[in-house]
Amino acid sequence: MPAHTETSPPGLDLDRLRDRLAGHDLAEGPLAAEVIHGGKSNLTYLVRDGGHRFVVRRPPLGHVLATAHDMGREYRVMTALRDTGVPVPRTFHLCEDPEVIGAPFYVMEYVEGGQPPATPAIEADLVDVLAKLHDVDPAAVGLADFGRPEGFLERQVRRWKRQLDASRSRDLPDIDHLFARLAGAVPKTRRHAIVHGDFKLGNTLIAGGQVRAVLDWEMSTLGDPLTDLALFLLYGDFAALDIAEPQDAGEHMPSAELARRYAAGTGLDISRLGWYVALACFKLAVISEGIHFRYTQGLTVGDGFDEIGEHVAPLVAHGLQALED
């Protein structure tokens, strides 16, 4: 077997990968690979075999909960959505044998694109893609058993409260008030749909001002589609909250206009959207508090973790205001 053309990057043995892919007619000749940076969870690599390029995705180094980094789940949902009009990379191969490269992985198409600053046109296209996703009949694409949609919202509220209780390190009275109001007024889900779980500009590839691919499906399930819409709108409001990520910078279409566009595309009632925005705020506040807790324990490495704790109060306040609005 020819030697690979460069040193294997962390977490990806190119010789063993080549043997696996060659056995499925997916690669020829030596391989070269590089890490695609930007993600904070699963590892993503651009791999070349001389004539082709494709993407390999695997869980983080140092095994964490398999349910949080389920390669089969990502592969399954993208494969199911291939012919639906929702832009996803084509999938080529799933390997669930951890002995090959040290963890399960899958191979998918390399899609040209990037993550430019937000513009109203890009956000309009994003919300149209989200509407297309939520109009897909899960059973029609083989995803009827992809989750437990009944009781989805109640479980979400309970889940993030448990996460909060596990990372309490300071007094946060308003967050308990937000939880109580959420738990006491859970809306009735109007449609069960395929939910992405973290739909935002940063989890897509944009080219020519349009969405070319939706990525990072590790949190996808069957549930209430308005949770996706609310989180997407909240990410757009991050600039106002002064907690924006770089890809959230730019010019934004007003949230109300995006919500109306989504409602027109799906036919869904969004009269209780404020509750869903409040849930999104609660979720991000709990995640931020968990990161803050780990920072205070000296369990995080990197830049910016010292400021994460400052995000909690604005998110909680935004959530309470959303319930009033």
Side-chain angles (χ1 to χ4, degrees):
M1 181 188 71
H4 55 71
T5 55
E6 67 172 36
T7 303
S8 297
L12 191 66
D13 186 313
L14 291 180
D15 290 329
R16 302 196 68 173
L17 176 67
R18 180 191 178 280
D19 288 345
R20 177 77 180 197
L21 298 186
H24 291 80
D25 297 323
L26 292 173
E28 298 178 359
L31 299 181
E34 61 190 80
V35 176
I36 298 176
H37 295 284
K40 298 181 176 62
S41 182
N42 294 325
L43 292 172
T44 308
Y45 308 86
L46 173 59
V47 181
R48 298 179 177 87
D49 70 352
H52 307 89
R53 54 183 176 175
F54 46 88
V55 170
V56 172
R57 191 157 157 88
R58 59 150 290 167
L61 302 178
H63 184 63
V64 275
L65 292 176
T67 53
H69 305 277
D70 188 340
M71 296 295 96
R73 190 170 195 83
E74 283 198 338
Y75 184 87
R76 182 183 176 191
V77 69
M78 286 194 294
T79 302
L81 291 171
R82 177 180 296 178
D83 298 318
T84 62
V86 178
V88 291
R90 288 178 297 159
T91 51
F92 299 135
H93 180 65
L94 170 67
C95 176
E96 297 185 285
D97 181 1
E99 297 301 317
V100 176
I101 66 166
F105 68 93
Y106 66 87
V107 183
M108 63 180 173
E109 171 189 21
Y110 175 77
V111 178
E112 292 278 4
Q115 293 165 359
T119 68
I122 288 175
E123 290 191 327
D125 196 43
L126 283 165
V127 86
D128 289 349
V129 167
L130 192 60
K132 287 181 182 178
L133 171 64
H134 295 158
D135 271 343
V136 173
D137 178 358
V141 295
L143 295 177
D145 62 345
F146 197 60
R148 294 184 297 132
E150 296 293 340
F152 174 78
L153 293 178
E154 290 86 352
R155 290 196 306 275
Q156 284 287 297
V157 175
R158 292 196 302 268
R159 173 191 176 184
W160 294 110
K161 177 59 161 56
R162 288 195 301 270
Q163 292 286 97
L164 173 64
D165 291 340
S167 58
R168 285 185 183 270
S169 62
R170 53 181 177 163
D171 186 29
L172 297 167
D174 285 346
I175 203 169
D176 291 307
H177 181 47
L178 177 57
F179 162 74
R181 293 197 59 183
L182 288 168
V186 179
K188 179 181 178 180
T189 295
R190 301 297 180 181
R191 178 190 300 171
H192 295 147
I194 302 166
V195 174
H196 181 276
D198 194 24
F199 188 84
K200 60 182 179 179
L201 176 60
N203 282 339
T204 65
L205 293 174
I206 309 293
Q210 293 184 314
V211 181
R212 298 301 183 190
V214 180
L215 309 173
D216 297 337
W217 292 87
E218 62 187 276
M219 298 177 68
S220 59
T221 188
L222 300 186
D224 191 316
L226 293 185
T227 57
D228 267 350
L229 174 64
L231 189 58
F232 171 65
L233 296 178
L234 182 59
Y235 280 127
D237 287 337
F238 266 11
L241 293 171
D242 195 30
I243 52 177
E245 297 180 7
Q247 63 264 31
D248 296 310
E251 182 184 356
H252 294 276
M253 181 181 290
S255 292
E257 188 174 340
L258 286 168
R260 287 192 294 270
R261 186 181 183 102
Y262 172 89
T266 60
L268 284 168
D269 178 4
I270 60 169
S271 59
R272 293 290 309 277
L273 184 58
W275 186 93
Y276 293 87
V277 172
L279 175 62
C281 289
F282 184 59
K283 171 183 174 179
L284 293 189
V286 171
I287 291 172
S288 297
E289 185 63 16
I291 296 171
H292 170 74
F293 175 75
R294 291 191 293 276
Y295 170 75
T296 62
Q297 301 296 307
L299 300 176
T300 56
V301 178
D303 297 329
F305 290 114
D306 57 328
E307 301 174 357
I308 294 293
E310 299 173 9
H311 301 173
V312 177
L315 282 164
V316 171
H318 195 75
L320 290 170
Q321 185 60 51
L323 290 172
E324 297 300 329
D325 293 342

